[in-house]
């Protein structure tokens, strides 16, 4: 019998952009995309100012510590394959692990009397974890739409949600930090991380249910 080429199959199964925007799972996945963008983009924006304000060191000294952010972020990205394998090839599990690390590190920063080095390491862990989540949501998750030819569209939607979260939060945090200090920002990271873990759990549960129904 005649076998249709892969391109033809993708064309038949292709999901329009309007349908993607109405896709419940994609809308839900947009929540952790926004939340991790809030943390990932604002750490690089506020870390140097936080260190200088909190520990009263000069800018030249703080620059050395801030270099830890991209370095540990790089470690987070390179560790992704091992974490993916550890989580039994589950993109959702890797994302939940990343948000769990963000929660733990953010809780540590909230305590008074935390030393400068501990604060820097905690912020670096948040950045590394958010980099892991970034890889999971922007690179791995869109591959679920490979058969319909929507990988680029879904990746673009997740990328937009990520930068939207970072951009909006940077404006909000500017006002909050000026009036209330840095604590509300760190507390918000805890709330966003926990909320994201719940959303991802729901997405994974729905996918498992759909797989079981299809198997029947």
């Amino acid at each position: 019998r005649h076998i249709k080429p892969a391109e033809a199959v993708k064309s038949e199964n292709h999901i329009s952009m309007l349908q993607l925007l109405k896709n419940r799972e994609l809308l839900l996945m947009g929540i952790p995309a926004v939340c991790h963008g809030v943390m990932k983009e604002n750490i690089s924006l506020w870390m140097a100012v936080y260190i200088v304000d909190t520990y009263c060191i000069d800018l030249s000294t703080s620059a050395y510590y801030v270099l830890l952010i991209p370095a540990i972020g790089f470690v987070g990205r390179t560790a992704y394959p091992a974490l993916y394998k550890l989580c039994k090839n589950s993109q959702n599990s890797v994302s939940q692990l990343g948000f769990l690390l963000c929660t733990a590190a953010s809780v540590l920063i909230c305590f008074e009397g935390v030393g400068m080095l501990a604060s820097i390491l905690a912020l670096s862990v948040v950045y590394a974890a958010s980099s892991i989540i970034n890889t999971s949501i922007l690179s791995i998750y869109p591959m679920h739409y490979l058969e319909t030819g929507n990988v680029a569209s879904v990746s673009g939607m997740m990328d937009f949600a990520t930068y939207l979260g970072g951009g909006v939060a940077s404006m909000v945090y500017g006002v909050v930090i000026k009036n209330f200090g840095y604590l509300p920002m760190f507390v918000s990271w805890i709330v966003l991380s926990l909320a994201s873990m719940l959303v991802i759990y729901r997405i994974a549960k729905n996918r498992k249910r759909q797989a079981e129904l299809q198997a029947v």
Side-chain angles (χ1 to χ4, degrees):
R1 65 181 178 179
H2 176 68
I3 300 178
K4 295 181 180 180
E7 290 77 7
V9 175
K10 287 182 180 180
S11 179
E12 289 181 0
N13 297 330
H14 185 75
I15 304 173
S16 68
M17 181 57 70
L18 181 60
Q19 289 176 308
L20 286 176
L21 292 173
K22 294 180 179 179
N23 187 300
R24 184 176 178 81
E25 182 182 295
L26 277 178
L27 293 176
L28 283 174
M29 187 58 76
I31 296 174
V34 168
C35 292
H36 99 278
V38 169
M39 294 180 286
K40 184 175 182 295
E41 301 304 322
N42 281 281
I43 285 180
S44 55
L45 180 63
W46 293 107
M47 182 174 178
V49 183
Y50 167 74
I51 296 300
V52 171
D53 287 349
T54 305
Y55 300 101
C56 302
I57 64 173
D58 58 84
L59 288 173
S60 59
T61 304
S62 68
Y64 295 105
Y65 294 107
V66 174
L67 287 175
L68 279 173
I69 298 178
I72 296 183
F74 176 75
V75 171
R77 288 186 180 276
T78 55
Y80 190 90
L83 292 174
Y84 188 69
K85 185 176 181 180
L86 180 66
C87 293
K88 299 180 180 180
N89 301 333
S90 171
Q91 162 258 324
N92 286 322
S93 296
V94 177
S95 296
Q96 286 184 307
L97 176 60
F99 280 116
L100 180 62
L101 290 173
C102 288
T103 302
S106 298
V107 168
L108 175 63
I109 311 172
C110 289
F111 288 104
E112 293 186 8
V114 176
M116 182 176 66
L117 183 58
S119 294
I120 292 172
L121 289 176
L123 287 168
S124 298
V125 168
V126 173
Y127 186 78
S130 61
S131 296
I132 292 170
I133 299 164
N134 185 267
T135 301
S136 193
I137 293 179
L138 270 64
S139 300
I140 307 302
Y141 176 73
M143 296 306 293
H144 288 298
Y145 296 84
L146 179 63
E147 293 184 359
T148 63
N150 292 104
V151 173
S153 297
V154 173
S155 180
M157 291 173 65
M158 295 298 104
D159 194 49
F160 171 76
T162 298
Y163 283 105
L164 177 65
V168 173
S170 64
M171 293 187 295
V172 174
Y173 286 151
V175 176
V176 171
I177 289 171
K178 181 179 179 180
N179 293 282
F180 305 102
Y182 295 92
L183 181 60
M185 179 173 70
F186 300 140
V187 172
S188 72
W189 292 357
I190 298 171
V191 174
L192 293 175
S193 296
L194 293 175
S196 296
M197 290 175 66
L198 290 174
V199 170
I200 292 173
Y201 171 78
R202 182 174 179 180
I203 291 174
K205 188 176 181 179
N206 288 341
R207 275 192 169 270
K208 183 178 179 180
R209 185 184 300 115
Q210 291 175 1
E212 291 174 348
L213 291 174
Q214 291 175 355
V216 175

